[in-house]
Amino acid sequence: MNAALQGLGLTHAPLALLHNRFAVVVGMVHYLLPYAVFPIFAALAAIDDRLELAARSLGAGEASVFRRIILPLTVPGVSAAGLLVFIISTGFFITPVVLGGPGDMMIANQIDFYARQLTDFAGASALALLLTIVVSVLVAVYQRILRAGGEHEAR
């Protein structure tokens, strides 16, 4: 990558592409992108094409169709994608170790550090409990979004 960038004249010196936060983010996005795309795609595929045709026949423009039809109907898919990606990313352990540096620890690495290096089992269990509570709250919020969407469709 650095050779290509320097060959094109975009950079004069090699960029630091490993052992930093940028590398961790790129690695996580590369791994988690399908988990985000598939629920959103499923939500978009479930939208009836006739809704867009009806809106256009009533004079709606591109932005209005997106804002008033497409976006509200894809909220469950987008929120499912966000929840799925968040839950999977909380368990990332190896990617930050391999691609990142010591300052790029994820919550799983922090829990491991407290348990193995510091032998602070109370701190490790507190972090694990905090993580469990955060994930549980997000799942409850997602369930409420789904329930609210179902009530909105029933009206």
Side-chain angles (χ1 to χ4, degrees):
M1 179 65 89
N2 276 324
L5 290 172
Q6 287 177 335
L8 292 172
L10 297 174
T11 61
H12 299 293
L15 298 175
L17 299 176
L18 197 56
H19 304 300
N20 56 26
R21 177 107 2 130
F22 175 75
V24 174
V25 169
V26 168
M28 288 180 68
V29 166
H30 180 265
Y31 183 80
L32 293 170
L33 192 61
Y35 292 103
V37 168
F38 290 140
I40 295 170
F41 176 74
L44 286 170
I47 297 174
D48 192 355
D49 293 336
R50 294 177 294 179
L51 292 172
E52 183 179 347
L53 292 174
R56 290 195 189 283
S57 71
L58 294 171
E62 294 279 333
S64 181
V65 168
F66 179 77
R67 189 179 75 250
R68 293 178 182 242
I69 296 172
I70 304 296
L71 193 59
L73 291 176
T74 57
V75 167
V78 171
S79 58
L83 182 65
L84 184 62
V85 165
F86 177 75
I87 289 173
I88 294 171
S89 68
T90 58
F92 263 65
F93 188 79
I94 297 298
T95 303
V97 171
V98 172
L99 297 177
D104 296 309
M105 294 176 75
M106 303 298 278
I107 189 73
N109 301 101
Q110 288 283 13
I111 293 169
D112 178 65
F113 178 74
Y114 273 76
R116 291 181 188 238
Q117 303 295 324
L118 298 179
T119 59
D120 180 12
F121 298 116
S125 63
L127 282 174
L129 182 63
L130 178 67
L131 180 63
T132 304
I133 290 169
V134 167
V135 169
S136 299
V137 166
L138 286 175
V139 169
V141 167
Y142 174 70
Q143 290 295 327
R144 177 156 288 195
I145 289 172
L146 280 182
R147 218 174 301 122
E151 291 171 4
H152 179 68
E153 289 174 7
R155 290 183 198 167

